[in-house]
Amino acid sequence: MHSIFETIKSVAFEIDHAIKTADLGYSNSENSSGEDQLKLDVQSDIIIEKAFASVAVVKNLVSEEKEGVLTLNEAGKYTICYDPLDGSSLVDVNLSVGSIFGIYENELQGSNLVASAYVVYGPRIELVIATKGQKPMLYRAIGDTFKEIGSITLDKKGKLNAPGGTQQNWCDYHKTFVDDLFTEGYRLRYSGGMVPDLHQIMLKGGGIFSYPATSDKPHGKLRQLFEVIPFAFMYEQAGGYAINDKGLRLMELIPSHPHDTSPCFFGSKYEINALKTAYGIKN
Ligand code: P6P
């Protein structure tokens, strides 16, 4: 798996350069979720596809920006499901964005994720890698290399509340849950970029990120294979919790289609227990 992580480090620098230099206009295409694609989305996807084409252990790629499974090497072992530039529409207002990678073995489902990684393109380029049984490890770009900074642990209770989705489309008990945290003194930390928003909670010791089922997105917005499961792995490895609106661990999700979404909640123990109470989840 080392060759995969080294490849992610190299594409991180290429995509960061593209973010800083590329045309921010829209391409005349849509991704598989029917979202308009920025030229930068397409460019980032090409960078990643080209880079993994020469990594022998990679069998398949599944990209948020494309339909279907791309087979690179039948003799490979892993399928990488990735979102090449999550939150790309934030680039034109100069906010942080990220790339997300889920590394799976065999069928594409939560229980077959063996590692995950994400890159944050912000004031600094940062990379977090999680493998089984290890705390997520934070790396920071210094010059043209990544320096290991240290492992990440979530506290049992945090201070940050990142409530996703449009409030008018939340159900009543979700709105009550979010408001109750603010009444307790939680700070609102939500940029609309999943990667920096979840990264901030990880680095600041805890809290909760929520993207619930909403009246306009009854199955949630965030994609299981490219976004939800890779971050669920990160949060559980950091000592946190990651569940859906029924209390199921997101690591147990089995998507029926590569672009399936799920309501998702990632956070520290106290906040996830509070969510379970608000949602009437007993398990
Ligand atoms: P909303 C970006 O478009 C994205 O896919 C995630 O990065 C982010 O967490 C979410 O959508 C934001 O969605 O509905 O809160 O604007």
Side-chain angles (χ1 to χ4, degrees):
M1 208 132 27
H2 178 71
S3 58
I4 292 176
F5 299 141
E6 289 306 301
T7 303
I8 290 173
K9 289 177 183 176
S10 71
V11 302
F13 286 111
E14 283 189 72
I15 292 174
D16 185 66
H17 177 72
I19 288 168
K20 291 177 169 63
T21 57
D23 168 357
L24 297 184
Y26 279 92
S27 67
N28 54 6
S29 57
E30 288 185 343
N31 67 14
S32 306
S33 303
E35 297 162 335
D36 291 336
Q37 283 181 311
L38 284 166
K39 291 174 186 170
L40 202 49
D41 288 321
V42 176
Q43 190 175 350
S44 301
D45 188 35
I46 291 168
I47 288 169
I48 292 171
E49 184 181 319
K50 279 184 175 171
F52 280 122
S54 58
V55 180
V57 293
V58 178
K59 180 174 185 177
N60 301 310
L61 294 179
V62 183
S63 168
E64 191 209 53
E65 297 303 333
K66 291 196 290 279
E67 195 55 58
V69 177
L70 172 66
T71 297
L72 294 178
N73 174 11
E74 279 296 349
K77 185 175 181 184
Y78 302 109
T79 294
I80 300 180
C81 298
Y82 65 93
D83 183 350
L85 199 59
D86 183 79
S88 54
S89 59
L90 297 170
V91 172
D92 64 3
V93 292
N94 205 25
L95 287 179
S96 297
V97 290
S99 302
I100 312 166
F101 303 86
I103 299 148
Y104 298 82
E105 210 173 328
N106 305 317
E107 292 74 26
L108 299 180
Q109 60 191 57
S111 58
N112 288 340
L113 184 94
V114 294
S116 67
Y118 66 85
V119 181
V120 189
Y121 308 99
R124 301 182 293 205
I125 311 172
E126 293 194 335
L127 163 69
V128 177
I129 293 173
T131 53
K132 287 207 171 183
Q134 301 291 324
K135 292 282 187 208
M137 185 58 72
L138 171 66
Y139 300 82
R140 183 168 297 144
I142 311 281
D144 59 359
T145 58
F146 278 96
K147 182 171 179 295
E148 183 177 300
I149 303 300
S151 62
I152 299 173
T153 301
L154 279 166
D155 298 339
K156 291 199 182 329
K157 184 179 187 300
K159 301 181 179 68
L160 306 184
N161 186 8
T166 306
Q167 296 201 24
Q168 70 180 25
N169 299 329
W170 292 347
C171 66
D172 292 346
Y173 51 84
H174 184 76
K175 178 146 179 50
T176 302
F177 164 70
V178 172
D179 290 348
D180 286 354
L181 286 181
F182 286 132
T183 304
E184 277 189 57
Y186 279 74
R187 298 177 181 82
L188 170 62
R189 292 293 183 273
Y190 192 77
S191 72
M194 179 183 194
V195 175
D197 289 343
L198 282 161
H199 187 57
Q200 178 172 198
I201 291 170
M202 290 258 278
L203 293 195
K204 296 280 188 183
I208 189 163
F209 174 102
S210 54
Y211 205 110
T214 57
S215 54
D216 61 329
K217 297 180 179 68
H219 300 291
K221 174 181 183 182
L222 302 178
R223 272 65 54 145
Q224 294 183 23
L225 287 174
F226 321 107
E227 297 165 330
V228 170
I229 296 167
F231 266 108
F233 186 66
M234 286 279 169
Y235 268 61
E236 289 195 350
Q237 296 292 97
Y241 297 81
I243 61 171
N244 70 4
D245 53 345
K246 304 293 186 290
L248 176 74
R249 286 178 60 235
L250 296 171
M251 291 303 296
E252 293 175 30
L253 287 171
I254 304 176
S256 51
H257 180 278
H259 294 268
D260 280 356
T261 62
S262 172
C264 52
F265 309 98
F266 309 86
S268 303
K269 184 172 188 172
Y270 172 85
E271 291 85 348
I272 292 292
N273 283 340
L275 179 105
K276 285 182 171 181
T277 302
Y279 274 60
I281 296 167
K282 299 284 183 276
N283 62 350

